[in-house]
Structure formats: C-alpha cells, structure tokens
Amino acid sequence: IDDLMNVFSKFINLKEIYTYNEVGEYGHIDHIMVNKLVKSAFLKYFKTKVKVPKLYKFFTSIAHSFSKNLSP
C-alpha cells in the first residue's frame, strides 16, 4: 500500500485511477488482490486531500463492459 501511495504522490494532477473489479478480470487471484490494494491505498492516501481523482473499476463481461465510478 505504501508503494502505491508513493506512486500517487508523484502525479500532481491525477484525475483518474482504474483497477480491476472485486472478482478480478475472470476470478484471477492476482486481479482480486490488485483491486484490494488499489482501493486501500486510494482511500488512505486521498483521505485528507482536497483534489481527489475518480477511482474506477472495470468489468470484462459483455453485460458490464463499462467503468463504474467508485469515488466517494
């Protein structure tokens, strides 16, 4: 999480962040872990920031082939 927060800090005008959805791209354990880590780092890092980028998760099924805004 700290490494991701460090990456976030390097981008001054970060407007969007994308990650896998909660079940991964096709249930892959690494994709699920990426989702958890990105969301945790996002919530921790941007908790006290004024300018907060939008956090999106992406879906891969045809029925859900869009990005969903997860920002608070």
Side-chain angles (χ1 to χ4, degrees):
I1 291 175
D2 291 336
D3 289 341
L4 276 174
M5 291 173 53
N6 186 39
V7 170
F8 294 158
S9 72
K10 294 182 186 303
F11 293 92
I12 296 169
N13 293 318
L14 190 60
K15 295 180 181 174
E16 298 174 333
I17 298 172
Y18 289 84
T19 188
Y20 292 103
N21 62 30
E22 289 83 2
V23 295
E25 187 168 341
Y26 46 85
H28 195 286
I29 189 79
D30 290 342
H31 301 166
I32 295 167
M33 183 58 65
V34 167
N35 168 272
K36 290 178 181 180
L37 291 172
V38 170
K39 284 195 311 187
S40 294
F42 177 88
L43 293 172
K44 186 175 179 182
Y45 182 78
F46 292 105
K47 181 169 65 172
T48 61
K49 306 294 183 206
V50 175
K51 291 181 81 175
V52 178
K54 292 182 179 179
L55 178 63
Y56 294 95
K57 62 181 176 180
F58 55 87
F59 297 86
T60 56
S61 70
I62 294 172
H64 295 97
S65 60
F66 61 91
S67 296
K68 183 176 180 183
N69 186 351
L70 297 177
S71 298

